[in-house]
Amino acid sequence: VVSIHCSMVNVKKKLINDPRNVVEEMVRGICAVHSDKLVRLEGFTVLLHRNINTIKANQVTLISGGGSGHEPAHAGYIGDGMLSGAVLGGVFASPSTTSVLAAIRAACGSHGVLLIVKNYTGDRINFGQALLVARTEGIIVEMVVVDDDCALPEGKGVTGGRGVAGTVLVHKAAGAAAAQGLPLTEVAAVARSAAAAVKTLATSMTTCTVPGTTPTDYLDNKTIEMGLGIHGEPGMIQKPWKPAAELVEDMLNVIASRLQPSTVCVQEVVNQQRPQSPTRHSLQEFKFSASSRQPVKNERAVNYEASEENPHNTRTLPLSRKVTEQRHPESKKNTTHAAAIINYEELSIITSEETETPAPPPAPPRYNKGDRPIVLMVNSLGGTPTMERYIVAYDALRVCRRMGFEPVRVMVGAFMTALEMQGVSLSMLPVDGEDGALLLERIDRPTTALAWTGSSTESYIVKSMKPARAPIVMALSPRCADPHWVITPTAVVAIEAACDALEAAEPQLTAWDQIAGDGDCGITVQRGAVAVRAVAPMLAGMNAAKAYGAIADAVAGSMGGSLGALLEILFRAGRIHLLEDDDDEILISEKERRGGWACCGTRVRKAYGPDASSMIVDHSGALYAGTNAIMSIGGAEPGMRTMLDALVPAVEKLRKSQSRDDWKKAVRAAEEGAEGTLLMEGLAGRSNYINAELLKTVPDPGAKAVAIAFRAALEATSC
């Protein structure tokens, strides 16, 4: 244990015991929790359907798998109507041929086995070798390779697109076909059709780290990577970060350019035929070079059309330039499934001059006559919060419709991940025409697979209802009809200055709150400041009570959280105070009245000057009423390390006199109160849970926000 701990000093922290044993321990946990649905094949990291014997006696069985680290893929898709088993390799490492063969033997029945494999070299080789050996044993087995990734240009090299999140949709379509009782050839055809149709592209904000290794995050906070795989390997391009809506549009443009032409009549479709990828439909027509890895037309390729020797038109591995069909010596004479023996000795070196330059893909088609129906999958790469998934989903829905696609099914979740990578992939599966309708019906069929979340069956229509109006409207007091009982231009200047200062203070408020709270104070205050700043110009000349209500509405609609709720209480209670009809009298000088500052802070019945009968808005009384409401409803008091430690002393300075000097005193009181929170114990809000020693290092961010607002308002209205 000590040696393991020492060896992990410089590696990324993870919730593991031993990085050398993570897959084994994960499998144990899966089996312990889901023993009612899964069974483990003894001696292997192979998981099978609990009722595998019943399933293989009645239908084609489906096996998939690959390296671990992509959970819930693939074990999460074992269930009725999807996979029958999954073979798990090490983290980002293909499972061995032995493991795959063991899974085939355990799952094979009289109806045959279909292997669904992601297009990675290790997976193709190991699943393909197992397929060949299984055939020598008389097992009926076929394999479909999924290469839905759009990162690699079509026709570039022999590797082709990687198998990524779209593989899950292939599982679903093929699983439904198998559950319907279709024969192996038809189930394989369904899988191939779905694999050919679905297209995927990923974008990530971060890389991922294999357990037990040192982090290698080469992406800074301003850079994203587009077109990366599910193993943390570099993508097709690094580019500056963009807002989600722009990234989504970039991704969907690439994906749309790679979709197969629509099978239905449309008004305007690209006439140019796309060049066929050498890794799809015609893999066996190409030979592979061990060095240059370039595809060249193989004149000696085996004919894989249905024949007596190959009745299922089986798709096997394109590993050699010469693939010869031989019967296994131990196979029976009448065996209809021959074993393809790979001749590794005849691998040749082929230069790039022998290859043809692929044509560039056409521009994304625009379907002007009837939107093309698709299944849209928004997949988290592992570390993407649910919030961000749905932001991406909404942007993707809007872009799809603008491009002429109708997402008739939408799936949002973590379907195929890359450990803790923060990013998303988008997959588009067209379901137009008769074949598409049948494919969609199979996507919709029920399954008991643990990780299949289903999809929205509604078209993209945002439903909403109008909010109900408040049933009771408080009548205005007589003074509210007075033309002087309004918000003055000076008050608007003060409000705007306070909002600007709070918006600019976001980084500092956030830094303080990351230590003294949950880190959201800065952005919450900033949202509120922006919202109030937007309505501020409309407040000039507005009835004071109505203006307070408008500010409360802006706060309520933008901030959220406890701070937003408390500030809403402040302005709602202030509004109620202004609606009340009392006879409190506060005196101010004519000079202060002419300077306009008094109009920001006091209500009077009598004043010095010729217009002594006019009434000035009582902002100080409104703030006092609001502060008391906060203490009454929220339960906090001064001295508990909250915004009240700045707000209460400031408001107290304004209660008896409204001279400019008293406003200066109020600002100083707010600032001193905010700084005083450094010495206070957290007794309310998030700070109540924070270590006292940490709290001594930063002031309360809410109190500092109050002080910042008061200071900005004072300085903006200086005469």
Side-chain angles (χ1 to χ4, degrees), residues 203 215 295 346 446 481 542 554:
T203 292
E346 294 194 22
M542 183 182 291

Side-chain angles (χ1 to χ4, degrees), residues 523-606:
I523 194 68
T524 300
V525 169
Q526 185 185 58
R527 287 198 303 264
V530 170
V532 175
R533 183 67 169 78
V535 303
M538 297 179 285
L539 301 180
M542 183 182 291
N543 172 271
K546 184 177 180 181
Y548 268 68
I551 295 174
D553 290 341
V555 168
S558 61
M559 293 186 68
S562 57
L563 181 58
L566 293 174
L567 289 177
E568 183 184 357
I569 289 171
L570 177 72
F571 291 106
R572 298 270 184 228
R575 174 178 179 270
I576 293 173
H577 170 78
L578 296 175
L579 290 171
E580 293 172 347
D581 190 12
D582 58 41
D583 294 322
D584 293 343
E585 297 180 1
I586 302 175
L587 303 180
I588 63 172
S589 68
E590 175 63 20
K591 178 181 178 181
E592 290 166 337
R593 181 187 297 281
R594 287 198 306 269
W597 177 252
C599 298
C600 292
T602 178
R603 176 193 68 207
V604 298
R605 280 289 184 180
K606 298 176 182 177

Side-chain angles (χ1 to χ4, degrees), residues 5 67 165 206 259 272 300 356 387 455 520 523 596 655 657 716:
H5 174 73
T206 66
L259 294 178
Q272 177 184 0
R300 294 188 293 170
E356 295 181 2
M387 175 191 296
S455 60
D520 70 338
I523 194 68
R655 283 299 296 154
S657 174

Side-chain angles (χ1 to χ4, degrees), residues 22-203:
V22 288
V23 177
E24 174 62 28
E25 293 187 16
M26 176 187 70
V27 170
R28 292 175 187 171
I30 292 173
C31 292
V33 174
H34 301 296
S35 59
D36 59 327
K37 293 181 172 62
L38 304 174
V39 63
R40 181 177 184 175
L41 188 60
E42 186 175 340
F44 299 93
T45 51
V46 173
L47 296 176
L48 300 168
H49 194 294
R50 181 74 181 178
N51 301 319
I52 186 63
N53 291 328
T54 301
I55 290 175
K56 68 183 182 182
N58 293 287
Q59 65 169 69
V60 173
T61 52
L62 274 61
I63 294 176
S64 189
S68 296
H70 308 305
E71 291 72 31
H74 294 276
Y77 302 111
I78 298 174
D80 297 342
M82 285 194 79
L83 297 180
S84 311
V87 191
L88 283 62
V91 177
F92 295 170
S94 174
S96 67
T97 299
T98 303
S99 294
V100 177
L101 183 59
I104 294 173
R105 289 168 175 164
C108 70
S110 59
H111 299 275
V113 180
L114 177 64
L115 305 179
I116 300 178
V117 182
K118 301 188 301 300
N119 189 35
Y120 289 95
T121 302
D123 288 346
R124 293 200 321 267
I125 291 174
N126 287 302
F127 276 82
Q129 289 279 50
L131 173 145
L132 300 180
V133 175
R135 287 213 185 123
T136 67
E137 299 174 357
I139 298 174
I140 306 173
V141 57
E142 289 204 34
M143 187 169 80
V144 172
V145 178
V146 184
D147 56 353
D148 56 309
D149 183 27
C150 294
L152 191 69
E154 288 185 302
K156 182 180 184 297
V158 296
T159 54
R162 295 163 289 200
V164 284
T167 308
V168 177
L169 296 173
V170 178
H171 291 164
K172 186 63 180 67
Q180 289 177 299
L182 297 183
L184 178 59
T185 52
E186 294 186 32
V187 174
V190 169
R192 289 193 183 98
S193 176
V198 65
K199 297 296 180 183
T200 302
L201 189 68
T203 292

Side-chain angles (χ1 to χ4, degrees), residues 301-571:
V302 177
N303 181 5
Y304 282 89
E305 297 299 325
S307 64
E308 181 179 353
E309 290 187 337
N310 189 22
H312 295 292
N313 186 19
T314 306
R315 180 181 184 181
T316 55
L317 290 180
L319 295 175
S320 168
R321 73 180 181 89
K322 181 179 180 181
V323 181
T324 59
E325 296 285 359
Q326 301 176 5
R327 292 192 182 277
H328 193 277
E330 297 179 4
S331 63
K332 297 180 180 179
K333 276 189 176 181
N334 296 328
T335 301
T336 57
H337 294 275
I341 307 301
I342 300 172
N343 188 345
Y344 290 97
E345 296 178 355
E346 294 194 22
L347 287 173
S348 60
I349 298 177
I350 305 173
T351 62
S352 59
E353 285 77 5
E354 297 178 70
T355 65
E356 295 181 2
T357 303
R366 296 298 193 267
Y367 295 88
N368 298 324
K369 184 179 179 181
D371 291 336
R372 188 179 187 185
I374 62 167
V375 174
L376 175 66
M377 174 185 282
V378 179
N379 171 59
S380 165
L381 294 178
T384 309
T386 301
M387 175 191 296
E388 295 178 23
R389 299 178 201 174
Y390 279 99
I391 291 173
V392 169
Y394 181 71
D395 289 334
L397 288 168
R398 291 190 301 108
V399 173
C400 281
R401 286 186 64 84
R402 192 167 67 244
M403 294 174 64
F405 296 99
E406 177 62 31
V408 293
R409 301 291 184 272
V410 183
M411 302 174 63
V412 180
F415 302 101
M416 185 173 291
T417 64
L419 294 173
E420 77 281 17
M421 184 181 290
Q422 185 179 358
V424 296
S425 67
L426 299 177
S427 299
M428 295 173 69
L429 173 63
V431 288
D432 48 339
E434 293 182 3
D435 291 341
L438 185 56
L439 177 58
L440 182 61
E441 189 269 336
R442 288 179 173 132
I443 295 294
D444 287 341
R445 280 186 172 271
T447 177
T448 60
L450 295 167
W452 181 261
T453 60
S455 60
S456 169
T457 57
E458 295 278 348
S459 294
Y460 170 51
I461 300 175
V462 178
K463 296 180 174 63
S464 62
M465 61 180 293
K466 293 182 179 180
R469 291 182 176 274
I472 300 176
V473 179
M474 184 179 293
L476 296 177
S477 63
R479 69 160 174 265
C480 288
D482 190 289
H484 297 284
W485 197 255
V486 296
I487 300 296
T488 66
T490 306
V492 172
V493 170
I495 293 170
E496 290 177 338
C499 290
D500 291 342
L502 290 173
E503 184 179 359
E506 181 274 321
Q508 185 61 72
L509 294 175
T510 296
W512 287 328
D513 199 43
Q514 286 174 336
I515 296 173
D518 53 7
D520 70 338
C521 180
I523 194 68
T524 300
V525 169
Q526 185 185 58
R527 287 198 303 264
V530 170
V532 175
R533 183 67 169 78
V535 303
M538 297 179 285
L539 301 180
M542 183 182 291
N543 172 271
K546 184 177 180 181
Y548 268 68
I551 295 174
D553 290 341
V555 168
S558 61
M559 293 186 68
S562 57
L563 181 58
L566 293 174
L567 289 177
E568 183 184 357
I569 289 171
L570 177 72
F571 291 106

